[in-house]
Amino acid sequence: MSAFRTLPHALETARAKGTRIVEARRSRHVHRPHSPPSGRRRRFRVAGADVSAAIAVFLIALPLSLGIALATGAPLQAGLVAAAVGGLVAGRLGGSALQVSGPAAGLTVVTADLIHRYGWRTTCAITVLAGVAQLGLGCLRVARSALAVSPAIVHGMLAGIGVTIAVAQLHIVLGGTPQSAVLDNLQALPAQLARLHPAAVSMSALTLALLLLWPRIPGRPGRLLRVIPAPLVAVAGATATASLAGIGLPKVDLPSWQSHALAGLPEGPVLGLLAAVLTTTLVCSVQSLLGAVAVDKMAASRPGLTGRVGRSDLDRELLGQGAANIASGALGGLPVAGVAVRSSANVNAGAVSRNSTMLHGVLVVVAALLMVPVLELIPLASLAALVMAVGIQMVSLHHIRTVTRHREVLVYAVTTLGVVLFGVLEGVTLGIAVAVAVALNRLARTRITHDEKEGVHHVHVRGQLTFLAVPRLSRALHHVPHGAHAVVELDGSFMDHAAYETLQDWRNTHLAQGGTVDLTGRRGGTRITEPTVSHLLDHDRAHDRPHDRTYDRAHDRTPDRTHEHAHGRPHERAHTAPGAPGDPLTDCRCRPWTPWRNHHCEPSGPAEGREFPATPAGAPHTTPGADAPGPVPWGLRAADSAASGQQLARGISAFQRNTAPLVRGELARLAREGQQPSQLFLTCADSRVVTSMITSSGPGDLFVVRNVGNLVPLPGADGRDGRDGGDDSVAAAIEYAVDVLNVRSITVCGHSGCGAMQALFNAEPGGAPTPLRRWLRHGMPSLEWMADDSRPWPRLAGRPPADAVEQLCLTNVVQQLEHLRAHEVVAQALREGALELHGMYFHVGEAQAYLLAGTEGDERFHRVRAADVPA
């Protein structure tokens, strides 16, 4: 009881500080209505990380912008205009803070074709109109819908554009001039190879060599030199070599800005102009939105950045890109889109806000105005080699492997060839048509087989059951003799009305003729119908349920995901169908395939809305639908006992029917080999914290210790007489986990709304020493920490705690980690490097996990996102 002597002072101090948290949060939003504004204005500051990132992006953007302008046949200033506008306008107005916009290689083919058809001034006008279209799409908030395009089509489009760029720039690399069409460039390639220009080839080779080898310089010198971007080194090296050697080559020519051509009124056929605007809008929008999503993933993988940079607002990103295209086109610049190379460089260089993107635009403006003499020393062959390398990189082997794995390589190939042979819009249209045809083929393609094994007739349906498969399904079902036992194995995810009716009619007829029918998953995995639930189809019809059934493919799982079914994922809930009247399952409203709802079924029988008469303790009673009476647990009404008993029985029955067949092999292996968990997971006994669910773990993964408040008693605090809150169970579990099981990590997990922390915070001094109060004394150091002004509190990255109790929950996790380190077995393992300690906080209401990071005195819990850890 000595620890409770300090309770009054600790409580009062902690409560006072907790009150100050709430008041401070409120005061941020309370202003006197007629008070004058504060005399001090917030100064605009640019973080040092943003400055360094802006310089790195600028050094990449400068040569690439000139190279892309050269590849399109536009005035070279147009590339600089687009880079500056992309940085300043899209950077300021866009919805992705770290994405860098400018002239993109993906737009090279589109822009080159527009310039060839309509001229430069009309191309600028088309860019303006495409920007207006993007503004309209952003106002309609359809950005998310644009991401519904198959990735195979997008990657195929980019690959086709990359091939077109590479083939065209190859002519300049060899010292010639490219044609307007890919086929013309390919036909002219043999003649171009016969008349090579040695100077152009040598400068291009030097550029490509520097571009390839610079990132691969080994050792510490390489790490230091890689701070300078490879594109800048490649172009600068070729420029310096050509200037010092006096090699005569065509070089960059930047006319005076006074003669720079601006946008004019569009001239040409209306339908052609509309198609041009549509194509430019499509490519700009899709590339920018996909780039924003990719930037979110890169930012989420950077430690400490998640709380400072929010997720991209894709509709705002469309608005920002539209404004940038309007400005760029009006000022005589190329179309603007998010650029992957510059965006990844921005994130990797340490940018923390949109200031880096905007500052890079300022640097481009300065270079365009003051560095013209230096830029005019760059050989065109060097820029062409740089752009050709970018085009080759757009044909990504990783993307090809991905679409091949997902059986979409046909869509990818058709889109790529369509873009190369016919153009971007035509290629994308072909890709969409093939994607739709492939999807319809997969929907319609169903394999139905019939065989007999040991007197049991198996009808195996692989694929989606639609009306197109009904004739074959009917033929296979009629191969089953009258009175035989049949097993229909459904291996798919959809059944339409026609197939449902066929299966239902045949089942009724077969049962009437004395046969039996089981509807199961593949290889007998999940039984959908069995003797107690054989009226699934009849019950669905009687209750007017939709006939388009979706059934689980529980059988079609890889071994490492088998345990997920065991833990009740929403799409893998028990296939328990309502049975016949009198069956205990009849009154359950948890329908098959509905989201898991904690088994809170509301029976529609007598227990709903009224109570059963009280029954004396020990008196027998009969659960509705049960065969045998059983004793009522002491202190429970008959209705409560019946409901809880049915709930327990339903859960066990569902496990034996649906989950046990899936995990039986794994559990048998664990029974033979023994448990070998990788970590000890110590968390609260709260029923809302489901360890296997929030950690995606299964049998044998976690050694779990649960107690009230996720507390770890200090060594020596486990009173042996049992009157001082003594409890060796936690220490014993720690010793067993570390010494015997050799776990590699220990995680202490707290959670929001913890009743133990609430009780500790609200405890009044002088109360009776109940078991709960004696146990909670192990949380007193956490409360004393909150009362200590000299120690900073652990906090959540990105937001303050909701109240003082949440702050106590966070503090308690860190404090219990300190208690863990005090155990000798843990300290020894930490010294040997054989053990790691982790802190975790789970917000129940948000279903959001936070992991502890930071150093002592600056402990922060960072939000764990879906993209933080690669799949």
Side-chain angles (χ1 to χ4, degrees), residues 610-615 621 632-644:
R610 61 182 185 270
E611 301 178 356
F612 285 134
T615 305
H621 81 288
V632 179
W634 182 85
L636 291 180
R637 297 188 307 270
D640 296 332
S641 176
S644 61

Side-chain angles (χ1 to χ4, degrees), residues 18 311 357 539 596 605 631 647 794 805 844:
R311 293 181 64 85
T357 303
H539 185 277
W596 171 69
Q647 177 179 329
V805 174
V844 177

Side-chain angles (χ1 to χ4, degrees), residues 463-477:
Q464 321 310 321
L465 267 178
T466 66
F467 66 94
L468 297 175
V470 165
R472 286 176 291 149
L473 175 64
S474 183
R475 279 196 299 270
L477 293 176

Side-chain angles (χ1 to χ4, degrees), residues 837-850:
L837 301 184
H838 302 288
M840 177 176 167
Y841 177 73
F842 184 70
H843 195 290
V844 177
E846 297 174 355
Q848 177 63 56
Y850 297 80

Side-chain angles (χ1 to χ4, degrees), residues 41-81:
R41 294 186 177 181
R42 184 179 179 182
R43 297 177 59 185
F44 176 75
R45 294 182 180 179
V46 179
D50 284 334
V51 175
S52 60
I55 295 174
V57 175
F58 161 72
L59 295 177
I60 295 175
L62 191 63
L64 281 177
S65 299
L66 292 172
I68 291 173
L70 173 67
T72 61
L76 295 184
Q77 295 102 318
L80 300 177
V81 171

